[in-house]
mmCIF file of all heavy atoms in Angstrom:
data_model
loop_
_atom_site.group_PDB
_atom_site.id
_atom_site.type_symbol
_atom_site.label_atom_id
_atom_site.label_comp_id
_atom_site.label_asym_id
_atom_site.label_seq_id
_atom_site.Cartn_x
_atom_site.Cartn_y
_atom_site.Cartn_z
ATOM 1 N N ARG A 22 -15.880 22.786 0.330
ATOM 2 C CA ARG A 22 -15.905 22.022 1.584
ATOM 3 C C ARG A 22 -17.307 21.971 2.177
ATOM 4 O O ARG A 22 -17.718 20.966 2.754
ATOM 5 C CB ARG A 22 -14.911 22.587 2.590
ATOM 6 C CG ARG A 22 -15.225 24.015 3.013
ATOM 7 C CD ARG A 22 -14.209 24.610 3.968
ATOM 8 N NE ARG A 22 -14.192 23.973 5.250
ATOM 9 C CZ ARG A 22 -15.071 24.209 6.235
ATOM 10 N NH1 ARG A 22 -16.037 25.086 6.068
ATOM 11 N NH2 ARG A 22 -14.979 23.577 7.380
ATOM 12 N N ASP A 23 -18.079 23.047 2.010
ATOM 13 C CA ASP A 23 -19.448 23.072 2.530
ATOM 14 C C ASP A 23 -20.333 22.045 1.835
ATOM 15 O O ASP A 23 -21.295 21.552 2.419
ATOM 16 C CB ASP A 23 -20.060 24.464 2.384
ATOM 17 C CG ASP A 23 -19.424 25.498 3.299
ATOM 18 O OD1 ASP A 23 -18.671 25.097 4.224
ATOM 19 O OD2 ASP A 23 -19.661 26.698 3.090
ATOM 20 N N THR A 24 -20.004 21.723 0.594
ATOM 21 C CA THR A 24 -20.764 20.714 -0.151
ATOM 22 C C THR A 24 -20.607 19.351 0.520
ATOM 23 O O THR A 24 -21.595 18.629 0.717
ATOM 24 C CB THR A 24 -20.298 20.659 -1.615
ATOM 25 O OG1 THR A 24 -20.477 21.948 -2.206
ATOM 26 C CG2 THR A 24 -21.055 19.615 -2.409
ATOM 27 N N ILE A 25 -19.379 19.011 0.880
ATOM 28 C CA ILE A 25 -19.150 17.729 1.558
ATOM 29 C C ILE A 25 -19.876 17.713 2.899
ATOM 30 O O ILE A 25 -20.505 16.710 3.265
ATOM 31 C CB ILE A 25 -17.642 17.464 1.737
ATOM 32 C CG1 ILE A 25 -16.962 17.318 0.360
ATOM 33 C CG2 ILE A 25 -17.412 16.208 2.585
ATOM 34 C CD1 ILE A 25 -15.461 17.158 0.416
ATOM 35 N N MET A 26 -19.830 18.814 3.629
ATOM 36 C CA MET A 26 -20.536 18.884 4.908
ATOM 37 C C MET A 26 -22.049 18.734 4.706
ATOM 38 O O MET A 26 -22.718 18.037 5.477
ATOM 39 C CB MET A 26 -20.202 20.198 5.610
ATOM 40 C CG MET A 26 -18.752 20.268 6.078
ATOM 41 S SD MET A 26 -18.249 21.870 6.715
ATOM 42 C CE MET A 26 -19.342 22.061 8.087
ATOM 43 N N TYR A 27 -22.576 19.353 3.663
ATOM 44 C CA TYR A 27 -24.003 19.239 3.348
ATOM 45 C C TYR A 27 -24.362 17.792 3.042
ATOM 46 O O TYR A 27 -25.356 17.267 3.556
ATOM 47 C CB TYR A 27 -24.347 20.142 2.154
ATOM 48 C CG TYR A 27 -25.760 19.975 1.651
ATOM 49 C CD1 TYR A 27 -26.810 20.673 2.234
ATOM 50 C CD2 TYR A 27 -26.040 19.100 0.601
ATOM 51 C CE1 TYR A 27 -28.117 20.509 1.784
ATOM 52 C CE2 TYR A 27 -27.332 18.938 0.136
ATOM 53 C CZ TYR A 27 -28.373 19.632 0.728
ATOM 54 O OH TYR A 27 -29.659 19.468 0.278
ATOM 55 N N TRP A 28 -23.544 17.138 2.206
ATOM 56 C CA TRP A 28 -23.813 15.737 1.865
ATOM 57 C C TRP A 28 -23.839 14.878 3.122
ATOM 58 O O TRP A 28 -24.693 14.007 3.275
ATOM 59 C CB TRP A 28 -22.756 15.206 0.904
ATOM 60 C CG TRP A 28 -22.800 15.768 -0.481
ATOM 61 C CD1 TRP A 28 -23.854 16.387 -1.093
ATOM 62 C CD2 TRP A 28 -21.741 15.762 -1.427
ATOM 63 N NE1 TRP A 28 -23.510 16.773 -2.368
ATOM 64 C CE2 TRP A 28 -22.221 16.393 -2.600
ATOM 65 C CE3 TRP A 28 -20.432 15.296 -1.421
ATOM 66 C CZ2 TRP A 28 -21.445 16.554 -3.735
ATOM 67 C CZ3 TRP A 28 -19.655 15.449 -2.547
ATOM 68 C CH2 TRP A 28 -20.159 16.070 -3.694
ATOM 69 N N GLU A 29 -22.875 15.126 4.018
ATOM 70 C CA GLU A 29 -22.806 14.330 5.240
ATOM 71 C C GLU A 29 -24.001 14.602 6.150
ATOM 72 O O GLU A 29 -24.625 13.672 6.668
ATOM 73 C CB GLU A 29 -21.501 14.629 5.982
ATOM 74 C CG GLU A 29 -21.316 13.766 7.206
ATOM 75 C CD GLU A 29 -20.031 14.051 7.952
ATOM 76 O OE1 GLU A 29 -19.025 14.418 7.318
ATOM 77 O OE2 GLU A 29 -20.050 13.901 9.178
ATOM 78 N N GLU A 30 -24.324 15.870 6.336
ATOM 79 C CA GLU A 30 -25.443 16.237 7.215
ATOM 80 C C GLU A 30 -26.772 15.683 6.709
ATOM 81 O O GLU A 30 -27.671 15.381 7.497
ATOM 82 C CB GLU A 30 -25.532 17.757 7.342
ATOM 83 C CG GLU A 30 -24.393 18.355 8.158
ATOM 84 C CD GLU A 30 -24.287 19.862 8.014
ATOM 85 O OE1 GLU A 30 -25.132 20.478 7.324
ATOM 86 O OE2 GLU A 30 -23.337 20.433 8.583
ATOM 87 N N ASN A 31 -26.919 15.552 5.403
ATOM 88 C CA ASN A 31 -28.154 15.047 4.809
ATOM 89 C C ASN A 31 -28.072 13.563 4.459
ATOM 90 O O ASN A 31 -28.897 13.054 3.699
ATOM 91 C CB ASN A 31 -28.510 15.888 3.581
ATOM 92 C CG ASN A 31 -28.959 17.268 3.984
ATOM 93 O OD1 ASN A 31 -30.074 17.454 4.440
ATOM 94 N ND2 ASN A 31 -28.059 18.245 3.866
ATOM 95 N N GLU A 32 -27.059 12.900 5.014
ATOM 96 C CA GLU A 32 -26.857 11.454 4.872
ATOM 97 C C GLU A 32 -26.774 11.004 3.420
ATOM 98 O O GLU A 32 -27.209 9.907 3.061
ATOM 99 C CB GLU A 32 -27.939 10.700 5.635
ATOM 100 C CG GLU A 32 -27.930 11.016 7.120
ATOM 101 C CD GLU A 32 -28.997 10.292 7.903
ATOM 102 O OE1 GLU A 32 -29.776 9.515 7.312
ATOM 103 O OE2 GLU A 32 -29.057 10.502 9.130
ATOM 104 N N LEU A 33 -26.198 11.858 2.576
ATOM 105 C CA LEU A 33 -25.983 11.511 1.175
ATOM 106 C C LEU A 33 -24.646 10.793 0.989
ATOM 107 O O LEU A 33 -24.415 10.175 -0.044
ATOM 108 C CB LEU A 33 -26.040 12.765 0.302
ATOM 109 C CG LEU A 33 -27.365 13.529 0.368
ATOM 110 C CD1 LEU A 33 -27.260 14.850 -0.369
ATOM 111 C CD2 LEU A 33 -28.500 12.680 -0.182
ATOM 112 N N ILE A 34 -23.789 10.887 1.996
ATOM 113 C CA ILE A 34 -22.529 10.147 2.062
ATOM 114 C C ILE A 34 -22.368 9.656 3.498
ATOM 115 O O ILE A 34 -22.993 10.191 4.412
ATOM 116 C CB ILE A 34 -21.305 11.008 1.646
ATOM 117 C CG1 ILE A 34 -21.132 12.217 2.570
ATOM 118 C CG2 ILE A 34 -21.395 11.428 0.181
ATOM 119 C CD1 ILE A 34 -19.852 13.008 2.341
ATOM 120 N N PRO A 35 -21.533 8.637 3.704
ATOM 121 C CA PRO A 35 -21.316 8.162 5.084
ATOM 122 C C PRO A 35 -20.637 9.247 5.919
ATOM 123 O O PRO A 35 -19.897 10.079 5.397
ATOM 124 C CB PRO A 35 -20.375 6.969 4.904
ATOM 125 C CG PRO A 35 -20.429 6.610 3.467
ATOM 126 C CD PRO A 35 -20.827 7.837 2.713
ATOM 127 N N PRO A 36 -20.878 9.252 7.230
ATOM 128 C CA PRO A 36 -20.206 10.230 8.092
ATOM 129 C C PRO A 36 -18.694 10.039 8.057
ATOM 130 O O PRO A 36 -18.200 8.916 7.967
ATOM 131 C CB PRO A 36 -20.751 9.937 9.485
ATOM 132 C CG PRO A 36 -21.617 8.750 9.377
ATOM 133 C CD PRO A 36 -21.745 8.350 7.954
ATOM 134 N N ALA A 37 -17.989 11.148 8.131
ATOM 135 C CA ALA A 37 -16.524 11.112 8.112
ATOM 136 C C ALA A 37 -15.994 10.606 9.443
ATOM 137 O O ALA A 37 -16.634 10.759 10.482
ATOM 138 C CB ALA A 37 -15.977 12.505 7.835
ATOM 139 N N ARG A 38 -14.813 10.002 9.369
ATOM 140 C CA ARG A 38 -14.110 9.689 10.614
ATOM 141 C C ARG A 38 -13.659 11.017 11.217
ATOM 142 O O ARG A 38 -13.569 12.016 10.529
ATOM 143 C CB ARG A 38 -12.880 8.815 10.331
ATOM 144 C CG ARG A 38 -13.218 7.417 9.883
ATOM 145 C CD ARG A 38 -11.972 6.592 9.566
ATOM 146 N NE ARG A 38 -11.213 7.187 8.474
ATOM 147 C CZ ARG A 38 -9.985 7.698 8.589
ATOM 148 N NH1 ARG A 38 -9.354 7.688 9.747
ATOM 149 N NH2 ARG A 38 -9.368 8.215 7.547
ATOM 150 N N ARG A 39 -13.393 11.019 12.507
ATOM 151 C CA ARG A 39 -12.966 12.244 13.191
ATOM 152 C C ARG A 39 -11.589 12.055 13.815
ATOM 153 O O ARG A 39 -11.277 10.979 14.349
ATOM 154 C CB ARG A 39 -13.968 12.628 14.285
ATOM 155 C CG ARG A 39 -15.365 12.957 13.792
ATOM 156 C CD ARG A 39 -15.358 14.213 12.957
ATOM 157 N NE ARG A 39 -16.692 14.593 12.550
ATOM 158 C CZ ARG A 39 -17.158 15.827 12.641
ATOM 159 N NH1 ARG A 39 -16.406 16.798 13.106
ATOM 160 N NH2 ARG A 39 -18.378 16.092 12.230
ATOM 161 N N ASN A 40 -10.793 13.104 13.734
ATOM 162 C CA ASN A 40 -9.507 13.136 14.408
ATOM 163 C C ASN A 40 -9.783 13.178 15.904
ATOM 164 O O ASN A 40 -10.534 14.033 16.382
ATOM 165 C CB ASN A 40 -8.730 14.377 13.950
ATOM 166 C CG ASN A 40 -7.362 14.480 14.573
ATOM 167 O OD1 ASN A 40 -7.188 14.217 15.754
ATOM 168 N ND2 ASN A 40 -6.396 14.882 13.781
ATOM 169 N N THR A 41 -9.190 12.274 16.651
ATOM 170 C CA THR A 41 -9.478 12.188 18.086
ATOM 171 C C THR A 41 -8.927 13.376 18.870
ATOM 172 O O THR A 41 -9.427 13.678 19.954
ATOM 173 C CB THR A 41 -8.904 10.888 18.685
ATOM 174 O OG1 THR A 41 -7.503 10.832 18.406
ATOM 175 C CG2 THR A 41 -9.591 9.667 18.093
ATOM 176 N N LYS A 42 -7.946 14.071 18.324
ATOM 177 C CA LYS A 42 -7.350 15.202 19.041
ATOM 178 C C LYS A 42 -8.158 16.483 18.884
ATOM 179 O O LYS A 42 -8.262 17.272 19.818
ATOM 180 C CB LYS A 42 -5.921 15.442 18.563
ATOM 181 C CG LYS A 42 -4.983 14.312 18.925
ATOM 182 C CD LYS A 42 -3.593 14.591 18.437
ATOM 183 C CE LYS A 42 -2.683 13.422 18.793
ATOM 184 N NZ LYS A 42 -1.332 13.611 18.265
ATOM 185 N N ASN A 43 -8.715 16.698 17.683
ATOM 186 C CA ASN A 43 -9.390 17.985 17.449
ATOM 187 C C ASN A 43 -10.806 17.834 16.876
ATOM 188 O O ASN A 43 -11.460 18.828 16.603
ATOM 189 C CB ASN A 43 -8.548 18.863 16.523
ATOM 190 C CG ASN A 43 -8.226 18.184 15.212
ATOM 191 O OD1 ASN A 43 -8.924 17.285 14.775
ATOM 192 N ND2 ASN A 43 -7.158 18.631 14.569
ATOM 193 N N ASN A 44 -11.241 16.608 16.667
ATOM 194 C CA ASN A 44 -12.578 16.296 16.155
ATOM 195 C C ASN A 44 -12.808 16.753 14.706
ATOM 196 O O ASN A 44 -13.936 16.828 14.249
ATOM 197 C CB ASN A 44 -13.673 16.850 17.071
ATOM 198 C CG ASN A 44 -14.959 16.062 16.954
ATOM 199 O OD1 ASN A 44 -14.938 14.849 16.743
ATOM 200 N ND2 ASN A 44 -16.085 16.733 17.065
ATOM 201 N N TYR A 45 -11.730 17.088 13.991
ATOM 202 C CA TYR A 45 -11.865 17.462 12.579
ATOM 203 C C TYR A 45 -12.184 16.216 11.752
ATOM 204 O O TYR A 45 -11.774 15.102 12.084
ATOM 205 C CB TYR A 45 -10.578 18.074 12.043
ATOM 206 C CG TYR A 45 -10.230 19.438 12.575
ATOM 207 C CD1 TYR A 45 -9.039 20.030 12.223
ATOM 208 C CD2 TYR A 45 -11.076 20.146 13.429
ATOM 209 C CE1 TYR A 45 -8.695 21.293 12.690
ATOM 210 C CE2 TYR A 45 -10.747 21.395 13.902
ATOM 211 C CZ TYR A 45 -9.548 21.969 13.524
ATOM 212 O OH TYR A 45 -9.210 23.212 13.988
ATOM 213 N N ARG A 46 -12.883 16.431 10.636
ATOM 214 C CA ARG A 46 -13.149 15.334 9.711
ATOM 215 C C ARG A 46 -11.855 14.920 9.026
ATOM 216 O O ARG A 46 -11.057 15.775 8.637
ATOM 217 C CB ARG A 46 -14.147 15.774 8.647
ATOM 218 C CG ARG A 46 -15.543 16.008 9.156
ATOM 219 C CD ARG A 46 -16.389 16.668 8.069
ATOM 220 N NE ARG A 46 -17.783 16.761 8.447
ATOM 221 C CZ ARG A 46 -18.295 17.733 9.188
ATOM 222 N NH1 ARG A 46 -17.528 18.706 9.631
ATOM 223 N NH2 ARG A 46 -19.574 17.738 9.486
ATOM 224 N N VAL A 47 -11.665 13.607 8.871
ATOM 225 C CA VAL A 47 -10.508 13.088 8.146
ATOM 226 C C VAL A 47 -10.964 12.014 7.168
ATOM 227 O O VAL A 47 -11.941 11.290 7.419
ATOM 228 C CB VAL A 47 -9.417 12.526 9.089
ATOM 229 C CG1 VAL A 47 -8.757 13.625 9.890
ATOM 230 C CG2 VAL A 47 -9.953 11.446 9.992
ATOM 231 N N TYR A 48 -10.261 11.942 6.052
ATOM 232 C CA TYR A 48 -10.594 11.002 4.985
ATOM 233 C C TYR A 48 -9.307 10.379 4.474
ATOM 234 O O TYR A 48 -8.292 11.054 4.359
ATOM 235 C CB TYR A 48 -11.253 11.732 3.808
ATOM 236 C CG TYR A 48 -12.451 12.561 4.182
ATOM 237 C CD1 TYR A 48 -12.308 13.890 4.596
ATOM 238 C CD2 TYR A 48 -13.730 12.037 4.136
ATOM 239 C CE1 TYR A 48 -13.410 14.660 4.945
ATOM 240 C CE2 TYR A 48 -14.843 12.795 4.480
ATOM 241 C CZ TYR A 48 -14.667 14.110 4.886
ATOM 242 O OH TYR A 48 -15.758 14.869 5.231
ATOM 243 N N ASN A 49 -9.366 9.100 4.128
ATOM 244 C CA ASN A 49 -8.252 8.506 3.401
ATOM 245 C C ASN A 49 -8.643 8.429 1.929
ATOM 246 O O ASN A 49 -9.768 8.777 1.552
ATOM 247 C CB ASN A 49 -7.841 7.146 3.992
ATOM 248 C CG ASN A 49 -8.920 6.087 3.873
ATOM 249 O OD1 ASN A 49 -9.745 6.089 2.959
ATOM 250 N ND2 ASN A 49 -8.927 5.166 4.825
ATOM 251 N N THR A 50 -7.737 7.991 1.102
ATOM 252 C CA THR A 50 -7.979 7.974 -0.342
ATOM 253 C C THR A 50 -9.180 7.112 -0.694
ATOM 254 O O THR A 50 -10.003 7.504 -1.524
ATOM 255 C CB THR A 50 -6.721 7.492 -1.092
ATOM 256 O OG1 THR A 50 -5.626 8.331 -0.712
ATOM 257 C CG2 THR A 50 -6.911 7.573 -2.585
ATOM 258 N N ASP A 51 -9.289 5.950 -0.061
ATOM 259 C CA ASP A 51 -10.428 5.065 -0.355
ATOM 260 C C ASP A 51 -11.758 5.742 -0.034
ATOM 261 O O ASP A 51 -12.732 5.615 -0.766
ATOM 262 C CB ASP A 51 -10.312 3.755 0.418
ATOM 263 C CG ASP A 51 -9.186 2.872 -0.097
ATOM 264 O OD1 ASP A 51 -8.813 3.006 -1.282
ATOM 265 O OD2 ASP A 51 -8.677 2.051 0.684
ATOM 266 N N GLU A 52 -11.808 6.474 1.067
ATOM 267 C CA GLU A 52 -13.042 7.174 1.454
ATOM 268 C C GLU A 52 -13.375 8.293 0.467
ATOM 269 O O GLU A 52 -14.543 8.501 0.127
ATOM 270 C CB GLU A 52 -12.897 7.728 2.875
ATOM 271 C CG GLU A 52 -12.854 6.628 3.921
ATOM 272 C CD GLU A 52 -12.340 7.082 5.268
ATOM 273 O OE1 GLU A 52 -11.573 8.065 5.334
ATOM 274 O OE2 GLU A 52 -12.711 6.434 6.269
ATOM 275 N N ILE A 53 -12.351 8.992 -0.007
ATOM 276 C CA ILE A 53 -12.571 10.054 -0.998
ATOM 277 C C ILE A 53 -13.090 9.457 -2.296
ATOM 278 O O ILE A 53 -14.038 9.980 -2.908
ATOM 279 C CB ILE A 53 -11.280 10.867 -1.206
ATOM 280 C CG1 ILE A 53 -10.938 11.641 0.076
ATOM 281 C CG2 ILE A 53 -11.407 11.813 -2.402
ATOM 282 C CD1 ILE A 53 -9.553 12.245 0.103
ATOM 283 N N LEU A 54 -12.505 8.349 -2.713
ATOM 284 C CA LEU A 54 -12.975 7.685 -3.936
ATOM 285 C C LEU A 54 -14.405 7.163 -3.767
ATOM 286 O O LEU A 54 -15.194 7.198 -4.715
ATOM 287 C CB LEU A 54 -12.022 6.560 -4.328
ATOM 288 C CG LEU A 54 -10.626 7.001 -4.769
ATOM 289 C CD1 LEU A 54 -9.711 5.790 -4.956
ATOM 290 C CD2 LEU A 54 -10.694 7.849 -6.034
ATOM 291 N N GLU A 55 -14.742 6.701 -2.575
ATOM 292 C CA GLU A 55 -16.105 6.225 -2.305
ATOM 293 C C GLU A 55 -17.106 7.378 -2.378
ATOM 294 O O GLU A 55 -18.195 7.233 -2.927
ATOM 295 C CB GLU A 55 -16.168 5.546 -0.927
ATOM 296 C CG GLU A 55 -17.522 4.986 -0.583
ATOM 297 C CD GLU A 55 -17.976 3.839 -1.487
ATOM 298 O OE1 GLU A 55 -17.130 3.213 -2.149
ATOM 299 O OE2 GLU A 55 -19.196 3.576 -1.525
ATOM 300 N N ILE A 56 -16.735 8.535 -1.835
ATOM 301 C CA ILE A 56 -17.606 9.716 -1.933
ATOM 302 C C ILE A 56 -17.828 10.067 -3.400
ATOM 303 O O ILE A 56 -18.957 10.338 -3.824
ATOM 304 C CB ILE A 56 -17.002 10.914 -1.172
ATOM 305 C CG1 ILE A 56 -17.037 10.651 0.336
ATOM 306 C CG2 ILE A 56 -17.744 12.210 -1.513
ATOM 307 C CD1 ILE A 56 -16.238 11.650 1.152
ATOM 308 N N ALA A 57 -16.762 10.037 -4.178
ATOM 309 C CA ALA A 57 -16.871 10.355 -5.603
ATOM 310 C C ALA A 57 -17.823 9.380 -6.302
ATOM 311 O O ALA A 57 -18.678 9.793 -7.099
ATOM 312 C CB ALA A 57 -15.494 10.309 -6.261
ATOM 313 N N LYS A 58 -17.699 8.116 -5.970
ATOM 314 C CA LYS A 58 -18.563 7.095 -6.581
ATOM 315 C C LYS A 58 -20.030 7.334 -6.212
ATOM 316 O O LYS A 58 -20.909 7.327 -7.072
ATOM 317 C CB LYS A 58 -18.111 5.709 -6.125
ATOM 318 C CG LYS A 58 -18.900 4.574 -6.703
ATOM 319 C CD LYS A 58 -18.362 3.249 -6.189
ATOM 320 C CE LYS A 58 -19.237 2.103 -6.631
ATOM 321 N NZ LYS A 58 -18.813 0.830 -6.037
ATOM 322 N N ILE A 59 -20.284 7.573 -4.930
ATOM 323 C CA ILE A 59 -21.654 7.787 -4.453
ATOM 324 C C ILE A 59 -22.274 9.014 -5.107
ATOM 325 O O ILE A 59 -23.442 9.013 -5.492
ATOM 326 C CB ILE A 59 -21.675 7.925 -2.912
ATOM 327 C CG1 ILE A 59 -21.331 6.585 -2.256
ATOM 328 C CG2 ILE A 59 -23.022 8.440 -2.414
ATOM 329 C CD1 ILE A 59 -21.060 6.684 -0.758
#
Side-chain angles (χ1 to χ4, degrees):
R22 63 182 293 280
D23 291 347
T24 301
I25 296 176
M26 292 172 61
Y27 173 85
W28 290 340
E29 184 180 328
E30 289 166 3
N31 289 283
E32 300 180 0
L33 301 172
I34 61 172
R38 291 178 298 115
R39 297 294 184 134
N40 181 319
T41 56
K42 293 180 181 176
N43 56 24
N44 206 34
Y45 290 175
R46 291 170 173 84
V47 292
Y48 306 88
N49 64 29
T50 305
D51 290 335
E52 291 164 334
I53 293 168
L54 293 173
E55 182 65 20
I56 291 169
K58 181 180 174 186
I59 291 169

